[in-house]
Amino acid sequence: MSVKVGGIYVAGGYRLDNQVCGELRQISGAVDPSDYFVDLCFMTYTPGGVGSDYAAGTGIRPGMVGRKQKRFIVDVEVPPDLGDLDAYRAWMATALAEVAAIVRDHLPTKNKSYPSERLASEVDELRARWNVHVSELG
């Protein structure tokens, strides 16, 4: 798999963020750092508090295209109003669809050497596996 699930957990105590990102990390599996990959950078914040000066309003957007590291970072803002695991898991499926679109649309304009369609397809595959995972949880 060429999708790395990273994260910036700004506010301590965001157990749902950590739990859902952990589940996604298990599903995505290991990343080969010598190959091209997409690095999902999850940003969390407390409205009006910790992290709100840089994370609030970010949405899901392209980040850095690493030239030497062969990684494309996508910043993924975690909405602060996700109240439970079901809401968080549903949002994650939508977020992964947006990430795939960003990889397809943005990456070829920034670095043509990246295999953007393959990487986007792997994000789509991860989203499909995520949906199966969520359906199995009940």
Side-chain angles (χ1 to χ4, degrees), residues 44-60:
T44 61
Y45 64 96
T46 302
V50 179
S52 62
D53 54 336
Y54 74 88
T58 299
I60 299 172

Side-chain angles (χ1 to χ4, degrees), residues 79-94:
D81 57 353
L82 296 173
D84 59 18
L85 282 173
D86 291 336
Y88 202 119
R89 288 176 175 136
W91 170 82
M92 183 64 75
T94 303

Side-chain angles (χ1 to χ4, degrees), residues 2 7 12-14 20 35 46 73 84 87 90 99 102-104 115 119 122 125:
S2 295
Y14 269 64
V20 174
D35 192 8
T46 302
I73 297 174
D84 59 18
V99 169
I102 288 171
V103 172
R104 279 191 180 93
L119 292 173
E122 291 197 30
E125 290 171 23

Side-chain angles (χ1 to χ4, degrees), residues 66-99:
R67 307 283 185 224
K68 294 180 181 176
Q69 295 175 321
K70 298 183 177 182
R71 74 177 180 165
F72 175 41
I73 297 174
V74 179
D75 296 324
V76 182
E77 174 189 18
V78 177
D81 57 353
L82 296 173
D84 59 18
L85 282 173
D86 291 336
Y88 202 119
R89 288 176 175 136
W91 170 82
M92 183 64 75
T94 303
L96 289 172
E98 283 189 51
V99 169

